[in-house]
Coordinates of all heavy atoms in Angstrom, one line a residue:
M9 N 11.6 25.0 -61.4 CA 10.5 25.4 -62.2 C 9.3 24.4 -62.1 O 9.6 23.2 -62.0 CB 10.9 25.4 -63.7 CG 10.2 26.5 -64.5 SD 10.7 26.4 -66.2 CE 12.0 27.6 -66.2
K10 N 8.2 25.0 -62.0 CA 7.1 24.1 -61.7 C 6.0 24.3 -62.8 O 5.7 25.3 -63.2 CB 6.5 24.5 -60.3 CG 5.1 24.2 -60.0 CD 4.9 24.6 -58.6 CE 3.4 25.1 -58.5 NZ 3.1 25.6 -57.2
Y11 N 5.5 23.1 -63.2 CA 4.5 23.1 -64.2 C 3.1 22.8 -63.6 O 3.0 21.8 -62.9 CB 4.8 22.0 -65.3 CG 6.0 22.4 -66.1 CD1 7.3 22.0 -65.8 CD2 5.8 23.1 -67.3 CE1 8.3 22.4 -66.5 CE2 6.8 23.5 -68.1 CZ 8.1 23.1 -67.7 OH 9.2 23.5 -68.4
D12 N 2.2 23.5 -63.9 CA 0.8 23.3 -63.4 C 0.1 22.5 -64.5 O -0.4 23.0 -65.5 CB 0.2 24.7 -63.2 CG -1.2 24.5 -62.6 OD1 -1.6 23.4 -62.3 OD2 -1.9 25.5 -62.5
R13 N -0.1 21.3 -64.2 CA -0.8 20.4 -65.2 C -2.3 20.7 -65.3 O -2.9 20.5 -66.3 CB -0.7 18.9 -64.7 CG 0.7 18.4 -64.9 CD 0.8 16.9 -64.7 NE 2.1 16.4 -64.7 CZ 2.5 15.2 -64.9 NH1 1.5 14.3 -64.9 NH2 3.7 14.7 -64.9
G14 N -2.8 21.3 -64.2 CA -4.2 21.6 -64.2 C -4.6 22.6 -65.3 O -5.7 22.6 -65.8
S15 N -3.7 23.5 -65.6 CA -4.0 24.5 -66.6 C -3.7 24.0 -68.0 O -3.9 24.7 -69.0 CB -3.2 25.8 -66.3 OG -1.8 25.5 -66.5
E16 N -3.1 22.9 -68.1 CA -2.8 22.3 -69.5 C -4.1 21.8 -70.1 O -4.7 21.0 -69.6 CB -1.7 21.3 -69.3 CG -0.8 21.1 -70.5 CD 0.3 20.1 -70.2 OE1 1.3 20.5 -69.6 OE2 0.0 19.0 -70.5
R17 N -4.3 22.2 -71.3 CA -5.4 21.8 -72.0 C -5.1 20.5 -72.8 O -4.1 20.5 -73.5 CB -6.1 22.8 -72.9 CG -7.1 23.6 -72.2 CD -8.0 24.3 -73.2 NE -7.3 25.4 -73.8 CZ -7.9 26.1 -74.8 NH1 -9.1 26.0 -75.1 NH2 -7.1 27.1 -75.4
K18 N -6.0 19.6 -72.8 CA -5.8 18.4 -73.6 C -6.1 18.8 -75.1 O -7.1 19.3 -75.4 CB -6.9 17.3 -73.2 CG -7.0 16.1 -74.0 CD -5.9 15.2 -73.7 CE -6.1 13.9 -74.5 NZ -4.8 13.2 -74.7
M19 N -5.1 18.4 -75.9 CA -5.2 18.7 -77.3 C -5.2 17.4 -78.1 O -4.5 16.5 -77.8 CB -4.1 19.6 -77.8 CG -4.0 20.9 -77.0 SD -5.4 22.0 -77.4 CE -4.9 22.6 -79.0
Y20 N -6.0 17.4 -79.2 CA -6.1 16.2 -80.0 C -5.5 16.5 -81.3 O -5.9 17.5 -82.0 CB -7.6 15.8 -80.2 CG -8.2 15.5 -78.9 CD1 -8.8 16.5 -78.1 CD2 -8.3 14.1 -78.4 CE1 -9.5 16.1 -76.9 CE2 -8.9 13.8 -77.2 CZ -9.5 14.8 -76.5 OH -10.1 14.5 -75.3
P21 N -4.6 15.7 -81.8 CA -3.9 15.8 -83.1 C -5.0 15.5 -84.2 O -5.7 14.5 -84.1 CB -2.8 14.9 -83.1 CG -3.1 13.9 -82.1 CD -4.0 14.5 -81.1
I22 N -5.1 16.3 -85.2 CA -5.9 16.1 -86.3 C -5.2 16.4 -87.6 O -4.1 17.0 -87.6 CB -7.2 17.0 -86.2 CG1 -6.9 18.5 -86.1 CG2 -8.0 16.5 -85.0 CD1 -7.2 19.2 -87.4
V23 N -5.8 15.9 -88.7 CA -5.4 16.4 -90.0 C -6.5 17.2 -90.6 O -7.6 16.7 -90.7 CB -5.0 15.2 -90.9 CG1 -4.7 15.7 -92.3 CG2 -3.8 14.4 -90.3
C24 N -6.2 18.4 -91.0 CA -7.2 19.3 -91.4 C -7.9 18.7 -92.7 O -7.2 18.3 -93.6 CB -6.6 20.7 -91.8 SG -7.9 21.8 -92.5
A25 N -9.2 18.7 -92.7 CA -9.9 18.1 -93.9 C -9.9 19.1 -95.1 O -10.3 18.7 -96.2 CB -11.4 17.9 -93.5
D26 N -9.5 20.3 -94.9 CA -9.4 21.2 -96.0 C -8.0 21.3 -96.6 O -7.7 20.9 -97.8 CB -9.9 22.6 -95.5 CG -10.0 23.5 -96.7 OD1 -9.2 23.5 -97.7 OD2 -10.9 24.4 -96.7
C27 N -7.0 21.7 -95.8 CA -5.7 22.0 -96.3 C -4.8 20.7 -96.1 O -3.7 20.7 -96.6 CB -5.1 23.2 -95.7 SG -4.8 23.1 -94.0
G28 N -5.2 19.8 -95.3 CA -4.4 18.6 -95.1 C -3.2 18.8 -94.1 O -2.4 17.9 -93.9
K29 N -3.2 20.0 -93.5 CA -2.2 20.3 -92.5 C -2.5 19.6 -91.2 O -3.6 19.4 -90.8 CB -2.2 21.8 -92.3 CG -0.9 22.4 -92.0 CD -0.9 23.9 -92.2 CE -1.9 24.6 -91.3 NZ -1.8 26.1 -91.5
E30 N -1.4 19.2 -90.5 CA -1.5 18.7 -89.2 C -1.8 19.8 -88.2 O -1.1 20.8 -88.2 CB -0.3 17.8 -88.8 CG -0.3 16.5 -89.5 CD 1.0 15.7 -89.1 OE1 1.5 16.0 -88.0 OE2 1.4 14.8 -89.9
A31 N -2.7 19.6 -87.3 CA -3.1 20.6 -86.3 C -3.5 19.9 -85.0 O -3.7 18.7 -85.0 CB -4.1 21.5 -86.9
E32 N -3.8 20.7 -84.1 CA -4.4 20.2 -82.8 C -5.6 21.0 -82.5 O -5.7 22.2 -82.6 CB -3.3 20.4 -81.7 CG -2.2 19.4 -81.8 CD -1.3 19.5 -80.7 OE1 -1.1 20.6 -80.1 OE2 -0.7 18.5 -80.3
V33 N -6.6 20.3 -82.0 CA -7.8 20.9 -81.5 C -8.1 20.6 -80.1 O -7.7 19.5 -79.6 CB -9.0 20.5 -82.4 CG1 -8.8 21.0 -83.8 CG2 -9.2 19.0 -82.4
P34 N -8.7 21.6 -79.4 CA -9.0 21.4 -77.9 C -10.2 20.5 -77.7 O -10.6 20.4 -76.5 CB -9.1 22.8 -77.5 CG -9.6 23.6 -78.6 CD -9.1 22.9 -79.9
F35 N -10.8 19.9 -78.7 CA -12.0 19.1 -78.5 C -11.7 17.7 -79.1 O -10.9 17.6 -80.0 CB -13.2 19.7 -79.0 CG -13.1 20.1 -80.5 CD1 -13.4 19.2 -81.5 CD2 -12.6 21.4 -80.9 CE1 -13.2 19.5 -82.8 CE2 -12.5 21.7 -82.2 CZ -12.8 20.8 -83.2
K36 N -12.5 16.8 -78.7 CA -12.3 15.4 -79.3 C -12.9 15.4 -80.7 O -14.1 15.7 -80.9 CB -13.0 14.4 -78.4 CG -12.6 13.0 -78.8 CD -13.0 12.0 -77.7 CE -12.4 10.7 -78.0 NZ -13.4 9.6 -78.1
P37 N -12.1 15.1 -81.7 CA -12.6 15.1 -83.1 C -13.7 14.1 -83.3 O -13.7 13.0 -82.8 CB -11.4 14.6 -83.9 CG -10.2 14.8 -83.0 CD -10.7 14.7 -81.6
D38 N -14.7 14.5 -84.0 CA -15.9 13.7 -84.3 C -15.6 13.0 -85.6 O -15.4 13.6 -86.6 CB -17.1 14.6 -84.5 CG -18.4 13.8 -84.6 OD1 -18.3 12.6 -84.9 OD2 -19.5 14.4 -84.3
S39 N -15.6 11.7 -85.5 CA -15.2 10.9 -86.7 C -16.2 11.0 -87.8 O -15.9 10.7 -89.0 CB -14.9 9.4 -86.4 OG -16.1 8.9 -85.8
D40 N -17.4 11.5 -87.6 CA -18.4 11.6 -88.6 C -18.3 12.9 -89.3 O -18.8 13.1 -90.4 CB -19.8 11.6 -87.9 CG -20.2 10.2 -87.4 OD1 -19.5 9.2 -87.9 OD2 -21.0 10.0 -86.6
R41 N -17.5 13.8 -88.8 CA -17.5 15.1 -89.4 C -16.0 15.5 -89.7 O -15.1 15.1 -88.9 CB -18.0 16.2 -88.4 CG -19.6 16.2 -88.4 CD -20.1 17.4 -87.8 NE -20.6 17.1 -86.5 CZ -20.9 18.1 -85.6 NH1 -20.8 19.4 -85.9 NH2 -21.4 17.8 -84.4
P42 N -15.8 16.3 -90.7 CA -14.5 16.7 -91.0 C -14.0 17.7 -90.0 O -14.8 18.4 -89.4 CB -14.6 17.4 -92.4 CG -16.1 17.8 -92.5 CD -16.8 16.7 -91.7
V43 N -12.7 17.6 -89.7 CA -12.1 18.6 -88.7 C -11.2 19.4 -89.4 O -10.4 19.0 -90.2 CB -11.4 17.7 -87.6 CG1 -11.0 18.6 -86.5 CG2 -12.3 16.7 -87.1
Y44 N -11.2 20.7 -89.0 CA -10.4 21.7 -89.7 C -9.4 22.3 -88.7 O -9.6 22.4 -87.5 CB -11.2 22.8 -90.3 CG -12.3 22.3 -91.2 CD1 -13.6 22.2 -90.9 CD2 -11.9 21.8 -92.5 CE1 -14.6 21.8 -91.8 CE2 -12.8 21.4 -93.4 CZ -14.2 21.3 -93.1 OH -15.1 20.8 -93.9
C45 N -8.3 22.8 -89.3 CA -7.3 23.5 -88.5 C -8.0 24.9 -88.2 O -9.1 25.2 -88.7 CB -6.0 23.7 -89.2 SG -6.1 24.8 -90.7
R46 N -7.3 25.7 -87.4 CA -7.9 27.0 -87.0 C -8.2 27.9 -88.2 O -9.2 28.5 -88.3 CB -7.0 27.7 -86.0 CG -7.8 28.4 -85.0 CD -7.1 28.6 -83.8 NE -6.0 29.6 -84.0 CZ -5.3 30.2 -83.0 NH1 -5.5 29.8 -81.8 NH2 -4.3 31.0 -83.3
D47 N -7.3 27.9 -89.1 CA -7.5 28.8 -90.3 C -8.7 28.4 -91.1 O -9.5 29.2 -91.5 CB -6.2 28.8 -91.2 CG -5.1 29.5 -90.5 OD1 -5.3 30.2 -89.6 OD2 -3.9 29.3 -91.1
C48 N -8.8 27.1 -91.4 CA -9.9 26.6 -92.2 C -11.2 26.6 -91.5 O -12.2 26.7 -92.1 CB -9.5 25.2 -92.7 SG -8.1 25.2 -93.8
Y49 N -11.1 26.5 -90.2 CA -12.3 26.5 -89.4 C -13.0 27.8 -89.5 O -14.2 27.9 -89.6 CB -12.0 26.3 -87.9 CG -13.2 26.3 -87.0 CD1 -14.1 25.2 -87.0 CD2 -13.5 27.4 -86.2 CE1 -15.2 25.3 -86.2 CE2 -14.7 27.5 -85.5 CZ -15.5 26.4 -85.5 OH -16.6 26.4 -84.7
Q50 N -12.2 28.9 -89.7 CA -12.8 30.2 -89.9 C -13.6 30.2 -91.2 O -14.6 30.9 -91.3 CB -11.7 31.3 -90.0 CG -10.8 31.4 -88.7 CD -11.6 31.9 -87.5 OE1 -12.4 32.7 -87.6 NE2 -11.3 31.3 -86.4
K51 N -13.1 29.5 -92.2 CA -13.8 29.5 -93.5 C -15.0 28.6 -93.4 O -15.9 28.8 -94.2 CB -12.8 28.9 -94.5 CG -11.6 29.9 -94.8 CD -10.9 29.4 -96.1 CE -10.0 28.2 -95.8 NZ -9.3 27.8 -97.0
H52 N -14.9 27.5 -92.6 CA -16.0 26.5 -92.7 C -17.0 26.6 -91.6 O -17.9 25.8 -91.5 CB -15.3 25.1 -92.6 CG -14.6 24.8 -93.9 ND1 -15.3 24.2 -95.0 CD2 -13.3 25.0 -94.3 CE1 -14.4 24.0 -96.0 NE2 -13.2 24.5 -95.6
R53 N -16.8 27.6 -90.7 CA -17.7 27.6 -89.6 C -19.1 28.0 -90.2 O -19.3 28.6 -91.2 CB -17.3 28.7 -88.6 CG -17.5 30.1 -89.1 CD -16.9 31.0 -88.0 NE -16.7 32.3 -88.7 CZ -16.1 33.3 -88.1 NH1 -15.7 33.2 -86.8 NH2 -15.9 34.5 -88.7
P54 N -20.2 27.5 -89.5 CA -21.6 27.6 -90.0 C -21.9 29.1 -90.2 O -21.7 29.9 -89.4 CB -22.4 27.1 -88.9 CG -21.5 26.2 -88.2 CD -20.2 26.8 -88.3
Q55 N -22.5 29.3 -91.4 CA -22.9 30.7 -91.7 C -24.4 30.6 -91.8 O -25.0 30.0 -92.7 CB -22.3 31.2 -92.9 CG -20.8 31.5 -92.7 CD -20.1 31.9 -94.0 OE1 -20.8 32.0 -95.1 NE2 -18.8 32.2 -93.9
R56 N -25.1 31.4 -91.0 CA -26.6 31.3 -91.1 C -27.2 32.5 -91.7 O -28.4 32.7 -91.7 CB -27.1 31.2 -89.6 CG -26.7 29.9 -89.0 CD -26.9 29.9 -87.5 NE -26.2 28.8 -86.8 CZ -26.6 27.6 -86.7 NH1 -27.8 27.3 -87.2 NH2 -25.9 26.7 -86.1
D57 N -26.4 33.3 -92.3 CA -26.9 34.6 -92.9 C -27.8 34.4 -94.0 O -28.7 35.2 -94.3 CB -25.7 35.4 -93.3 CG -24.9 35.9 -92.2 OD1 -25.3 35.8 -91.0 OD2 -23.7 36.4 -92.4
N58 N -27.6 33.3 -94.7 CA -28.4 33.0 -96.0 C -29.7 32.3 -95.7 O -30.4 32.1 -96.7 CB -27.6 32.3 -97.0 CG -26.4 33.1 -97.5 OD1 -26.5 34.3 -97.5 ND2 -25.3 32.5 -97.9
Y59 N -29.9 31.9 -94.5 CA -31.2 31.2 -94.2 C -32.4 32.1 -94.2 O -32.2 33.3 -93.7 CB -31.0 30.4 -92.9 CG -30.2 29.2 -93.1 CD1 -29.1 29.0 -92.3 CD2 -30.5 28.2 -94.1 CE1 -28.3 27.8 -92.5 CE2 -29.7 27.1 -94.3 CZ -28.7 26.9 -93.5 OH -27.9 25.8 -93.6
Ligands
ZN113 ZN1 -6.7 23.7 -92.8

């Protein structure tokens, strides 16, 4: 069996700033900003409808 490392995405472990759950994100967490798991990211993503 052969593993293709090139297709493996680098994941960064984080603790969700909302639910406190451990998760992994495919980007480097920004220490200045809260990081959310995928579920909470859906809730916290920027909404520009009210501007
Ligand atoms: Zn969460």
